Amino acid sequence: MRLIALAALLALPAAAHAQTPAAVEQPLLHTVVSQVEADRMHADVTALVGFGTRHTMSDTVSETRGIGAARRWTEREFRRIGSECGNCLEIALPADTVTGARVPTPTEVVDVLAIQRGTGDPNRVIVISGHIDSRVTDVMNFTADAPGANDDASGVAAVLEAARVLSKHRFDATLVYAVLSGEEQGLLGGKILADYATAQGWVVEANLNNDIVGNSEGQSGVRDTTRVRVFSEGTKTVETALQAERRRYNGGEIDSSSRNLARFVDNIADRYLANFDVDMIYRTDRFGRGGDQVEMLRAGFPAVRISEGAENYDRQHQDLRTENGVEYGDTIEGVDFDYLAQVARLNIATMAALASAPMVPADVTIEGAVKPDTTLRWSAVPGAASYRVWWRSTTAPQWTFNRSAGTATSLVLSGIPIDDYFFGVSAISDDGFESPVVYPGPAGAFVSVGDPAPAAAPAR
């Protein structure tokens, strides 16, 4: 009798759980992946290394050396790319004069942005970024040669390649190609970008920050061309005390908007890149370290850091030298351009997929305490032809099960208890492009929200 009852209990969820259907293959994403050229990025990194140093406090007047020359070269490249797409790129140069612990004298820090306006929802913005400044062992040394080939000319090359490829296509959302300054002096360019985005009123759905993305040989000498890391914060930087209390009780610490953006990137790699995998790292950045995406997170924007799978610290933040037969310094010989091309493909396909899909659902709520069913509700999304509700085991890294909600903005999952799973909702366009999944409530919202309304005491 007990065995029969147990079998019946197990059979119900199995029947209720809809396995993920075959995803709609998008020819556009195959096209943009095929248009990436490693040789163009090799030329970009060569040009940037050729400026000698790109330290934030280096020469800004010379046309051949220093950060000023490098920024102007980048601006010219964006303008040239824009001229080939009917002037589809607007150039912006947000700047701030900064002083601080790593900038002892007032220094103008300038970002170079190319903006490709969306055709349907131009206020919704997808950002790819990399930083142009470089350094040696002493972060204050602005005169020594600091080629910065991998850190982070590789990231800048990925940004430029994204502009070259994606500017040939039109998207519903706005794409922003951001080359940032001052990262090594304290994430200064990231702060300038975040402030500019806020001032423009942009709804930033995603920031893909590429920092150290061109090396495939780790410190051990082992080469791995098949793996890239995507770092994402778990609990939000902008979480309030009340939101933290709710999240600690009900969950959401592994379902921030940035974490679900990372899952989206991982899915793109699985579907559209050959022999190239995303390692989702459940940290905001490498241990004790940071990148410009941190400032975007502080502004409440979803953001991830993309970095190579295996770093070589002899090639980072080092004076150019040879000691005991070991060559130190961030030179172009340390960049694997076929690997860098794969990273660029991942970024470009992700941006195209995000910008072609509807905006993620907003106002996602969930209920089901002391009930056998789980109910989700959300607000309608402009341009969404349908919605999908997702759920997974609380220990599963990826969304596992789903059910279509059609055009409705709510769905009851009969026989699926809220206590046993995590849930989310995505929006789908009429041609099958799907947004990232949104976890219910402030913990998972892609647009920052205030504290939730007071709730009744937990049911017993």
Side-chain angles (χ1 to χ4, degrees):
M1 190 82 170
R2 180 178 292 176
L3 290 175
I4 294 173
L6 177 61
L9 182 64
L10 293 175
L12 178 60
H17 292 178
Q19 291 285 352
T20 304
V24 176
E25 283 296 305
Q26 297 294 350
L28 170 64
L29 302 190
H30 289 294
T31 296
V32 296
V33 163
S34 71
Q35 291 173 338
V36 172
E37 296 182 17
D39 288 346
R40 290 192 300 215
M41 287 184 285
H42 193 297
D44 292 337
V45 174
T46 300
L48 289 166
V49 167
F51 292 112
T53 178
R54 304 186 306 276
H55 192 283
T56 300
M57 295 184 291
S58 63
D59 195 317
T60 60
V61 177
S62 170
E63 287 301 323
T64 58
R65 183 177 177 85
I67 187 71
R71 289 195 306 248
R72 290 187 291 275
W73 175 85
T74 302
E75 181 183 351
R76 289 194 298 271
E77 282 298 299
F78 277 143
R79 292 192 185 279
R80 184 183 60 78
I81 295 167
S83 69
E84 295 174 356
C85 61
N87 296 317
C88 70
L89 299 182
E90 303 171 21
I91 306 302
L93 303 172
D96 191 16
T97 299
V98 177
T99 55
R102 291 190 174 187
V103 188
T105 60
T107 300
E108 187 180 37
V109 179
V110 184
D111 290 345
V112 184
L113 312 182
I115 303 167
Q116 181 179 339
R117 297 289 179 187
T119 58
D121 188 6
N123 204 45
R124 178 165 67 98
V125 175
I126 315 298
V127 182
I128 181 174
S129 57
H131 73 85
I132 198 171
D133 57 300
S134 61
R135 60 167 287 188
V136 289
T137 304
D138 180 1
V139 71
M140 305 303 290
N141 184 345
F142 59 86
T143 59
D145 281 350
N150 192 33
D151 184 14
D152 185 35
S154 65
V156 173
V159 172
L160 289 167
E161 189 67 3
R164 291 189 189 102
V165 171
L166 296 175
S167 62
K168 294 179 173 62
H169 305 273
R170 296 295 172 263
F171 299 96
D172 188 62
T174 291
L175 302 181
V176 173
Y177 312 99
V179 174
L180 311 179
S181 299
E183 192 269 354
E184 304 288 7
Q185 306 310 116
L187 313 183
L188 305 177
K191 178 67 162 57
I192 290 170
L193 172 63
D195 289 347
Y196 185 80
T198 301
Q200 298 298 309
W202 288 347
V203 178
V204 178
E205 187 177 14
N207 169 216
L208 309 177
N209 186 45
N210 288 258
D211 197 346
I212 312 181
V213 292
N215 168 64
S216 61
E217 183 179 318
Q219 191 84 19
S220 66
V222 175
R223 185 176 295 277
D224 184 357
T225 61
T226 66
R227 187 173 70 99
V228 68
R229 295 175 295 169
V230 177
F231 294 83
S232 59
E233 70 173 4
T235 58
K236 290 185 176 182
T237 301
V238 295
E239 183 180 64
T240 69
L242 179 56
Q243 291 168 355
E245 180 183 349
R246 296 286 180 85
R247 187 256 312 152
R248 282 192 294 267
Y249 200 90
N250 294 317
E253 55 278 341
I254 56 172
D255 273 291
S256 69
S257 51
S258 298
R259 184 63 47 78
N260 278 311
L261 173 60
R263 293 187 175 104
F264 186 92
V265 177
D266 187 17
N267 182 261
I268 290 292
D270 291 342
R271 293 173 58 195
Y272 293 99
L273 275 74
N275 198 30
F276 198 67
D277 190 46
V278 164
D279 268 1
M280 289 191 298
I281 308 296
Y282 283 13
R283 284 194 175 103
T284 299
D285 209 304
R286 299 146 309 155
F287 197 89
R289 303 170 72 185
D292 284 312
Q293 83 282 357
V294 170
E295 292 295 342
M296 296 294 278
L297 295 170
R298 287 171 177 162
F301 300 133
V304 297
R305 179 195 177 114
I306 300 175
S307 282
E308 61 205 21
E311 294 183 61
N312 187 330
Y313 308 110
D314 292 343
R315 297 176 181 156
Q316 294 178 23
H317 300 180
Q318 294 284 348
D319 292 338
L320 299 176
R321 67 194 192 280
T322 300
E323 291 181 358
N324 300 320
V326 177
E327 294 185 2
Y328 293 87
D330 189 0
T331 62
I332 198 168
E333 290 75 18
V335 179
D336 179 340
F337 288 96
D338 289 333
Y339 176 83
L340 176 56
Q342 286 285 72
V343 176
R345 291 182 183 104
L346 176 64
N347 278 269
I348 290 166
T350 299
M351 293 178 73
L354 287 167
S356 300
M359 179 65 180
V360 293
D363 307 317
V364 181
T365 62
I366 190 168
E367 61 183 65
V370 202
K371 296 178 182 178
D373 310 326
T374 299
T375 301
L376 289 99
R377 296 183 174 85
W378 56 93
S379 296
V381 177
S386 62
Y387 304 92
R388 199 188 312 274
V389 169
W390 295 84
W391 66 101
R392 69 180 199 273
S393 163
T394 60
T395 58
Q398 282 283 9
W399 296 103
T400 310
F401 308 107
N402 73 85
R403 183 171 297 165
S404 174
T407 59
T409 55
S410 65
L411 186 69
V412 177
L413 297 172
S414 299
I416 300 177
I418 193 172
D419 300 325
D420 296 354
Y421 303 95
F422 289 146
F423 299 84
V425 184
S426 62
I428 307 172
S429 68
D430 57 4
D431 51 358
F433 282 99
E434 188 163 356
S435 76
V437 178
V438 183
Y439 182 86
F446 272 64
V447 177
S448 295
V449 296
D451 285 330
R460 294 186 181 277

